Amino acid sequence: MAFHDLTPDKSAPPNCKQLFGLGSKFIPTPSKTTGRQDLEKAFTRFDRDFRLRVHFAGDDSDSSFEEAPHKSK
């Protein structure tokens, strides 16, 4: 399989041609796919987290912004 560097400035790494020339055989594939139950659990968690963030977000008219404290180095 051929690989053609079509980037405008030919910025692909030197070994890219050798790697991509292998085709899709080098790409690892999972032994099993994600099941419906796992997806439903993830979507339920996402929905709950989103609703909590919206609920506790506060009023949009509040324009004061306090920067979050940074960890000291």
mmCIF file of all heavy atoms in Angstrom, residues 15-53:
data_model
loop_
_atom_site.group_PDB
_atom_site.id
_atom_site.type_symbol
_atom_site.label_atom_id
_atom_site.label_comp_id
_atom_site.label_asym_id
_atom_site.label_seq_id
_atom_site.Cartn_x
_atom_site.Cartn_y
_atom_site.Cartn_z
ATOM 1 N N ASN A 15 9.432 8.475 9.277
ATOM 2 C CA ASN A 15 9.044 7.060 9.286
ATOM 3 C C ASN A 15 7.567 6.850 9.012
ATOM 4 O O ASN A 15 7.072 5.727 9.041
ATOM 5 C CB ASN A 15 9.413 6.418 10.621
ATOM 6 C CG ASN A 15 10.905 6.370 10.829
ATOM 7 O OD1 ASN A 15 11.668 6.364 9.868
ATOM 8 N ND2 ASN A 15 11.327 6.365 12.073
ATOM 9 N N CYS A 16 6.853 7.913 8.762
ATOM 10 C CA CYS A 16 5.412 7.853 8.522
ATOM 11 C C CYS A 16 5.099 6.996 7.291
ATOM 12 O O CYS A 16 4.156 6.213 7.295
ATOM 13 C CB CYS A 16 4.888 9.257 8.350
ATOM 14 S SG CYS A 16 3.138 9.410 8.589
ATOM 15 N N LYS A 17 5.872 7.149 6.263
ATOM 16 C CA LYS A 17 5.638 6.411 5.021
ATOM 17 C C LYS A 17 5.723 4.903 5.271
ATOM 18 O O LYS A 17 4.890 4.132 4.811
ATOM 19 C CB LYS A 17 6.650 6.833 3.961
ATOM 20 C CG LYS A 17 6.434 6.184 2.628
ATOM 21 C CD LYS A 17 7.394 6.739 1.597
ATOM 22 C CE LYS A 17 7.105 6.150 0.238
ATOM 23 N NZ LYS A 17 7.939 6.733 -0.808
ATOM 24 N N GLN A 18 6.724 4.497 6.038
ATOM 25 C CA GLN A 18 6.900 3.074 6.343
ATOM 26 C C GLN A 18 5.738 2.546 7.182
ATOM 27 O O GLN A 18 5.202 1.478 6.921
ATOM 28 C CB GLN A 18 8.210 2.865 7.090
ATOM 29 C CG GLN A 18 8.500 1.422 7.421
ATOM 30 C CD GLN A 18 9.785 1.273 8.211
ATOM 31 O OE1 GLN A 18 10.414 2.260 8.592
ATOM 32 N NE2 GLN A 18 10.173 0.049 8.462
ATOM 33 N N LEU A 19 5.310 3.333 8.184
ATOM 34 C CA LEU A 19 4.231 2.905 9.071
ATOM 35 C C LEU A 19 2.903 2.819 8.341
ATOM 36 O O LEU A 19 2.195 1.820 8.406
ATOM 37 C CB LEU A 19 4.111 3.860 10.257
ATOM 38 C CG LEU A 19 2.996 3.561 11.250
ATOM 39 C CD1 LEU A 19 3.261 2.246 11.958
ATOM 40 C CD2 LEU A 19 2.882 4.684 12.247
ATOM 41 N N PHE A 20 2.522 3.879 7.622
ATOM 42 C CA PHE A 20 1.236 3.892 6.934
ATOM 43 C C PHE A 20 1.222 2.990 5.717
ATOM 44 O O PHE A 20 0.168 2.605 5.234
ATOM 45 C CB PHE A 20 0.844 5.310 6.546
ATOM 46 C CG PHE A 20 0.500 6.175 7.731
ATOM 47 C CD1 PHE A 20 0.863 7.504 7.750
ATOM 48 C CD2 PHE A 20 -0.175 5.661 8.816
ATOM 49 C CE1 PHE A 20 0.547 8.304 8.833
ATOM 50 C CE2 PHE A 20 -0.492 6.446 9.896
ATOM 51 C CZ PHE A 20 -0.132 7.769 9.914
ATOM 52 N N GLY A 21 2.374 2.627 5.226
ATOM 53 C CA GLY A 21 2.455 1.705 4.107
ATOM 54 C C GLY A 21 2.011 0.301 4.485
ATOM 55 O O GLY A 21 1.718 -0.529 3.631
ATOM 56 N N LEU A 22 1.954 0.024 5.787
ATOM 57 C CA LEU A 22 1.520 -1.290 6.260
ATOM 58 C C LEU A 22 0.015 -1.487 6.083
ATOM 59 O O LEU A 22 -0.476 -2.605 6.183
ATOM 60 C CB LEU A 22 1.870 -1.471 7.735
ATOM 61 C CG LEU A 22 3.351 -1.465 8.085
ATOM 62 C CD1 LEU A 22 3.522 -1.506 9.599
ATOM 63 C CD2 LEU A 22 4.058 -2.632 7.440
ATOM 64 N N GLY A 23 -0.715 -0.414 5.888
ATOM 65 C CA GLY A 23 -2.168 -0.514 5.762
ATOM 66 C C GLY A 23 -2.811 -0.554 7.128
ATOM 67 O O GLY A 23 -2.254 -0.125 8.126
ATOM 68 N N SER A 24 -4.001 -1.116 7.195
ATOM 69 C CA SER A 24 -4.729 -1.139 8.465
ATOM 70 C C SER A 24 -4.407 -2.354 9.317
ATOM 71 O O SER A 24 -4.988 -2.539 10.385
ATOM 72 C CB SER A 24 -6.235 -1.098 8.188
ATOM 73 O OG SER A 24 -6.602 -2.234 7.438
ATOM 74 N N LYS A 25 -3.460 -3.162 8.911
ATOM 75 C CA LYS A 25 -3.121 -4.366 9.673
ATOM 76 C C LYS A 25 -2.433 -4.048 10.996
ATOM 77 O O LYS A 25 -2.457 -4.855 11.911
ATOM 78 C CB LYS A 25 -2.213 -5.280 8.846
ATOM 79 C CG LYS A 25 -2.910 -5.859 7.644
ATOM 80 C CD LYS A 25 -1.966 -6.724 6.847
ATOM 81 C CE LYS A 25 -2.668 -7.218 5.591
ATOM 82 N NZ LYS A 25 -1.770 -7.987 4.741
ATOM 83 N N PHE A 26 -1.800 -2.884 11.107
ATOM 84 C CA PHE A 26 -1.080 -2.548 12.329
ATOM 85 C C PHE A 26 -1.980 -1.961 13.399
ATOM 86 O O PHE A 26 -1.569 -1.758 14.521
ATOM 87 C CB PHE A 26 0.068 -1.577 12.035
ATOM 88 C CG PHE A 26 -0.385 -0.185 11.728
ATOM 89 C CD1 PHE A 26 -0.427 0.773 12.726
ATOM 90 C CD2 PHE A 26 -0.756 0.180 10.445
ATOM 91 C CE1 PHE A 26 -0.843 2.062 12.446
ATOM 92 C CE2 PHE A 26 -1.163 1.462 10.175
ATOM 93 C CZ PHE A 26 -1.216 2.405 11.167
ATOM 94 N N ILE A 27 -3.240 -1.672 13.093
ATOM 95 C CA ILE A 27 -4.160 -1.051 14.040
ATOM 96 C C ILE A 27 -4.736 -2.121 14.966
ATOM 97 O O ILE A 27 -5.359 -3.077 14.503
ATOM 98 C CB ILE A 27 -5.312 -0.333 13.302
ATOM 99 C CG1 ILE A 27 -4.750 0.752 12.393
ATOM 100 C CG2 ILE A 27 -6.308 0.245 14.292
ATOM 101 C CD1 ILE A 27 -5.782 1.383 11.494
ATOM 102 N N PRO A 28 -4.525 -1.982 16.289
ATOM 103 C CA PRO A 28 -5.083 -2.971 17.212
ATOM 104 C C PRO A 28 -6.606 -2.841 17.283
ATOM 105 O O PRO A 28 -7.146 -1.736 17.260
ATOM 106 C CB PRO A 28 -4.448 -2.626 18.552
ATOM 107 C CG PRO A 28 -4.048 -1.205 18.434
ATOM 108 C CD PRO A 28 -3.775 -0.947 16.978
ATOM 109 N N THR A 29 -7.282 -3.952 17.369
ATOM 110 C CA THR A 29 -8.739 -3.942 17.491
ATOM 111 C C THR A 29 -9.138 -4.610 18.796
ATOM 112 O O THR A 29 -8.510 -5.588 19.218
ATOM 113 C CB THR A 29 -9.411 -4.688 16.317
ATOM 114 O OG1 THR A 29 -8.876 -5.997 16.257
ATOM 115 C CG2 THR A 29 -9.143 -3.979 15.007
ATOM 116 N N PRO A 30 -10.159 -4.093 19.468
ATOM 117 C CA PRO A 30 -10.587 -4.698 20.725
ATOM 118 C C PRO A 30 -11.188 -6.085 20.490
ATOM 119 O O PRO A 30 -11.739 -6.363 19.423
ATOM 120 C CB PRO A 30 -11.636 -3.734 21.265
ATOM 121 C CG PRO A 30 -12.104 -2.965 20.091
ATOM 122 C CD PRO A 30 -10.967 -2.934 19.111
ATOM 123 N N SER A 31 -11.077 -6.927 21.500
ATOM 124 C CA SER A 31 -11.603 -8.290 21.367
ATOM 125 C C SER A 31 -13.129 -8.308 21.419
ATOM 126 O O SER A 31 -13.758 -9.220 20.905
ATOM 127 C CB SER A 31 -11.038 -9.187 22.461
ATOM 128 O OG SER A 31 -11.351 -8.655 23.729
ATOM 129 N N LYS A 32 -13.724 -7.299 22.067
ATOM 130 C CA LYS A 32 -15.186 -7.212 22.100
ATOM 131 C C LYS A 32 -15.608 -5.753 21.990
ATOM 132 O O LYS A 32 -14.854 -4.845 22.333
ATOM 133 C CB LYS A 32 -15.758 -7.837 23.366
ATOM 134 C CG LYS A 32 -15.324 -7.166 24.647
ATOM 135 C CD LYS A 32 -15.949 -7.835 25.833
ATOM 136 C CE LYS A 32 -15.556 -7.062 27.100
ATOM 137 N NZ LYS A 32 -16.256 -7.529 28.257
ATOM 138 N N THR A 33 -16.820 -5.526 21.526
ATOM 139 C CA THR A 33 -17.316 -4.168 21.378
ATOM 140 C C THR A 33 -18.030 -3.726 22.651
ATOM 141 O O THR A 33 -18.338 -4.535 23.517
ATOM 142 C CB THR A 33 -18.303 -4.074 20.201
ATOM 143 O OG1 THR A 33 -19.390 -4.952 20.435
ATOM 144 C CG2 THR A 33 -17.622 -4.435 18.896
ATOM 145 N N THR A 34 -18.305 -2.439 22.737
ATOM 146 C CA THR A 34 -19.025 -1.901 23.882
ATOM 147 C C THR A 34 -20.491 -2.313 23.787
ATOM 148 O O THR A 34 -21.128 -2.105 22.758
ATOM 149 C CB THR A 34 -18.927 -0.368 23.892
ATOM 150 O OG1 THR A 34 -17.554 -0.012 23.840
ATOM 151 C CG2 THR A 34 -19.554 0.210 25.130
ATOM 152 N N GLY A 35 -20.990 -2.874 24.860
ATOM 153 C CA GLY A 35 -22.368 -3.348 24.875
ATOM 154 C C GLY A 35 -23.373 -2.245 25.137
ATOM 155 O O GLY A 35 -23.032 -1.146 25.580
ATOM 156 N N ARG A 36 -24.610 -2.544 24.872
ATOM 157 C CA ARG A 36 -25.702 -1.582 25.062
ATOM 158 C C ARG A 36 -25.802 -1.155 26.523
ATOM 159 O O ARG A 36 -26.032 0.004 26.831
ATOM 160 C CB ARG A 36 -27.007 -2.209 24.587
ATOM 161 C CG ARG A 36 -28.197 -1.284 24.704
ATOM 162 C CD ARG A 36 -29.476 -1.980 24.250
ATOM 163 N NE ARG A 36 -30.613 -1.128 24.400
ATOM 164 C CZ ARG A 36 -31.146 -0.416 23.429
ATOM 165 N NH1 ARG A 36 -30.622 -0.490 22.217
ATOM 166 N NH2 ARG A 36 -32.187 0.356 23.638
ATOM 167 N N GLN A 37 -25.609 -2.086 27.425
ATOM 168 C CA GLN A 37 -25.716 -1.799 28.855
ATOM 169 C C GLN A 37 -24.645 -0.789 29.285
ATOM 170 O O GLN A 37 -24.926 0.139 30.045
ATOM 171 C CB GLN A 37 -25.567 -3.097 29.648
ATOM 172 C CG GLN A 37 -26.313 -3.131 30.934
ATOM 173 C CD GLN A 37 -26.259 -4.516 31.548
ATOM 174 O OE1 GLN A 37 -25.330 -5.284 31.293
ATOM 175 N NE2 GLN A 37 -27.249 -4.844 32.352
ATOM 176 N N ASP A 38 -23.429 -0.946 28.776
ATOM 177 C CA ASP A 38 -22.348 -0.012 29.105
ATOM 178 C C ASP A 38 -22.645 1.381 28.559
ATOM 179 O O ASP A 38 -22.382 2.386 29.220
ATOM 180 C CB ASP A 38 -21.014 -0.508 28.541
ATOM 181 C CG ASP A 38 -20.532 -1.781 29.214
ATOM 182 O OD1 ASP A 38 -20.880 -1.997 30.392
ATOM 183 O OD2 ASP A 38 -19.810 -2.551 28.555
ATOM 184 N N LEU A 39 -23.182 1.441 27.347
ATOM 185 C CA LEU A 39 -23.512 2.734 26.749
ATOM 186 C C LEU A 39 -24.629 3.430 27.519
ATOM 187 O O LEU A 39 -24.567 4.637 27.767
ATOM 188 C CB LEU A 39 -23.909 2.564 25.286
ATOM 189 C CG LEU A 39 -22.776 2.220 24.330
ATOM 190 C CD1 LEU A 39 -23.333 1.944 22.944
ATOM 191 C CD2 LEU A 39 -21.758 3.334 24.277
ATOM 192 N N GLU A 40 -25.656 2.679 27.902
ATOM 193 C CA GLU A 40 -26.760 3.270 28.656
ATOM 194 C C GLU A 40 -26.272 3.808 29.998
ATOM 195 O O GLU A 40 -26.675 4.884 30.433
ATOM 196 C CB GLU A 40 -27.874 2.245 28.856
ATOM 197 C CG GLU A 40 -28.670 1.980 27.598
ATOM 198 C CD GLU A 40 -29.755 0.930 27.788
ATOM 199 O OE1 GLU A 40 -29.890 0.386 28.906
ATOM 200 O OE2 GLU A 40 -30.475 0.661 26.803
ATOM 201 N N LYS A 41 -25.385 3.073 30.643
ATOM 202 C CA LYS A 41 -24.826 3.508 31.919
ATOM 203 C C LYS A 41 -24.028 4.805 31.733
ATOM 204 O O LYS A 41 -24.145 5.733 32.530
ATOM 205 C CB LYS A 41 -23.930 2.405 32.481
ATOM 206 C CG LYS A 41 -23.368 2.698 33.835
ATOM 207 C CD LYS A 41 -22.542 1.516 34.326
ATOM 208 C CE LYS A 41 -21.875 1.819 35.646
ATOM 209 N NZ LYS A 41 -21.017 0.723 36.099
ATOM 210 N N ALA A 42 -23.222 4.865 30.682
ATOM 211 C CA ALA A 42 -22.418 6.058 30.413
ATOM 212 C C ALA A 42 -23.302 7.266 30.091
ATOM 213 O O ALA A 42 -23.052 8.376 30.569
ATOM 214 C CB ALA A 42 -21.447 5.796 29.271
ATOM 215 N N PHE A 43 -24.345 7.067 29.279
ATOM 216 C CA PHE A 43 -25.244 8.162 28.932
ATOM 217 C C PHE A 43 -26.037 8.641 30.137
ATOM 218 O O PHE A 43 -26.278 9.842 30.306
ATOM 219 C CB PHE A 43 -26.198 7.767 27.798
ATOM 220 C CG PHE A 43 -25.528 7.704 26.462
ATOM 221 C CD1 PHE A 43 -25.792 6.656 25.604
ATOM 222 C CD2 PHE A 43 -24.642 8.684 26.043
ATOM 223 C CE1 PHE A 43 -25.184 6.584 24.359
ATOM 224 C CE2 PHE A 43 -24.031 8.630 24.808
ATOM 225 C CZ PHE A 43 -24.301 7.585 23.963
ATOM 226 N N THR A 44 -26.442 7.736 30.992
ATOM 227 C CA THR A 44 -27.163 8.103 32.208
ATOM 228 C C THR A 44 -26.269 8.951 33.105
ATOM 229 O O THR A 44 -26.691 9.979 33.636
ATOM 230 C CB THR A 44 -27.635 6.845 32.962
ATOM 231 O OG1 THR A 44 -28.467 6.077 32.101
ATOM 232 C CG2 THR A 44 -28.384 7.201 34.225
ATOM 233 N N ARG A 45 -25.021 8.546 33.250
ATOM 234 C CA ARG A 45 -24.067 9.306 34.070
ATOM 235 C C ARG A 45 -23.817 10.681 33.460
ATOM 236 O O ARG A 45 -23.778 11.694 34.156
ATOM 237 C CB ARG A 45 -22.768 8.516 34.186
ATOM 238 C CG ARG A 45 -21.636 9.237 34.871
ATOM 239 C CD ARG A 45 -21.941 9.466 36.351
ATOM 240 N NE ARG A 45 -20.990 10.348 36.960
ATOM 241 C CZ ARG A 45 -19.912 9.955 37.613
ATOM 242 N NH1 ARG A 45 -19.653 8.660 37.733
ATOM 243 N NH2 ARG A 45 -19.093 10.825 38.146
ATOM 244 N N PHE A 46 -23.645 10.733 32.143
ATOM 245 C CA PHE A 46 -23.429 12.005 31.464
ATOM 246 C C PHE A 46 -24.614 12.938 31.667
ATOM 247 O O PHE A 46 -24.445 14.119 31.976
ATOM 248 C CB PHE A 46 -23.198 11.777 29.968
ATOM 249 C CG PHE A 46 -23.088 13.050 29.182
ATOM 250 C CD1 PHE A 46 -21.918 13.777 29.185
ATOM 251 C CD2 PHE A 46 -24.165 13.513 28.453
ATOM 252 C CE1 PHE A 46 -21.813 14.960 28.474
ATOM 253 C CE2 PHE A 46 -24.083 14.694 27.734
ATOM 254 C CZ PHE A 46 -22.899 15.417 27.748
ATOM 255 N N ASP A 47 -25.830 12.416 31.524
ATOM 256 C CA ASP A 47 -27.040 13.210 31.689
ATOM 257 C C ASP A 47 -27.130 13.771 33.106
ATOM 258 O O ASP A 47 -27.405 14.951 33.306
ATOM 259 C CB ASP A 47 -28.270 12.361 31.366
ATOM 260 C CG ASP A 47 -29.560 13.159 31.435
ATOM 261 O OD1 ASP A 47 -29.630 14.212 30.779
ATOM 262 O OD2 ASP A 47 -30.481 12.706 32.146
ATOM 263 N N ARG A 48 -26.850 12.945 34.093
ATOM 264 C CA ARG A 48 -26.898 13.376 35.493
ATOM 265 C C ARG A 48 -25.860 14.458 35.754
ATOM 266 O O ARG A 48 -26.160 15.493 36.360
ATOM 267 C CB ARG A 48 -26.664 12.187 36.417
ATOM 268 C CG ARG A 48 -26.691 12.547 37.885
ATOM 269 C CD ARG A 48 -26.377 11.322 38.762
ATOM 270 N NE ARG A 48 -26.485 11.643 40.161
ATOM 271 C CZ ARG A 48 -25.522 12.236 40.875
ATOM 272 N NH1 ARG A 48 -24.387 12.574 40.300
ATOM 273 N NH2 ARG A 48 -25.699 12.482 42.152
ATOM 274 N N ASP A 49 -24.628 14.228 35.307
ATOM 275 C CA ASP A 49 -23.563 15.214 35.515
ATOM 276 C C ASP A 49 -23.895 16.540 34.841
ATOM 277 O O ASP A 49 -23.674 17.609 35.406
ATOM 278 C CB ASP A 49 -22.230 14.691 34.980
ATOM 279 C CG ASP A 49 -21.669 13.559 35.823
ATOM 280 O OD1 ASP A 49 -22.197 13.304 36.925
ATOM 281 O OD2 ASP A 49 -20.703 12.927 35.368
ATOM 282 N N PHE A 50 -24.428 16.476 33.634
ATOM 283 C CA PHE A 50 -24.784 17.687 32.901
ATOM 284 C C PHE A 50 -25.865 18.465 33.629
ATOM 285 O O PHE A 50 -25.770 19.680 33.813
ATOM 286 C CB PHE A 50 -25.247 17.325 31.486
ATOM 287 C CG PHE A 50 -25.659 18.510 30.670
ATOM 288 C CD1 PHE A 50 -24.712 19.351 30.124
ATOM 289 C CD2 PHE A 50 -27.000 18.781 30.451
ATOM 290 C CE1 PHE A 50 -25.093 20.456 29.378
ATOM 291 C CE2 PHE A 50 -27.385 19.879 29.714
ATOM 292 C CZ PHE A 50 -26.425 20.720 29.170
ATOM 293 N N ARG A 51 -26.907 17.761 34.075
ATOM 294 C CA ARG A 51 -28.007 18.433 34.773
ATOM 295 C C ARG A 51 -27.541 19.064 36.094
ATOM 296 O O ARG A 51 -27.976 20.155 36.458
ATOM 297 C CB ARG A 51 -29.155 17.466 35.019
ATOM 298 C CG ARG A 51 -29.888 17.086 33.749
ATOM 299 C CD ARG A 51 -30.948 16.016 34.030
ATOM 300 N NE ARG A 51 -31.526 15.519 32.814
ATOM 301 C CZ ARG A 51 -32.633 16.014 32.254
ATOM 302 N NH1 ARG A 51 -33.265 17.018 32.812
ATOM 303 N NH2 ARG A 51 -33.096 15.492 31.139
ATOM 304 N N LEU A 52 -26.635 18.394 36.808
ATOM 305 C CA LEU A 52 -26.105 18.963 38.048
ATOM 306 C C LEU A 52 -25.296 20.226 37.774
ATOM 307 O O LEU A 52 -25.406 21.221 38.492
ATOM 308 C CB LEU A 52 -25.234 17.936 38.777
ATOM 309 C CG LEU A 52 -25.990 16.849 39.528
ATOM 310 C CD1 LEU A 52 -25.030 15.789 40.036
ATOM 311 C CD2 LEU A 52 -26.772 17.450 40.691
ATOM 312 N N ARG A 53 -24.493 20.210 36.728
ATOM 313 C CA ARG A 53 -23.698 21.397 36.389
ATOM 314 C C ARG A 53 -24.591 22.568 35.991
ATOM 315 O O ARG A 53 -24.328 23.705 36.358
ATOM 316 C CB ARG A 53 -22.717 21.078 35.270
ATOM 317 C CG ARG A 53 -21.575 20.211 35.734
ATOM 318 C CD ARG A 53 -20.650 19.877 34.583
ATOM 319 N NE ARG A 53 -19.690 18.893 34.977
ATOM 320 C CZ ARG A 53 -18.390 19.134 35.101
ATOM 321 N NH1 ARG A 53 -17.924 20.325 34.831
ATOM 322 N NH2 ARG A 53 -17.578 18.181 35.474
#
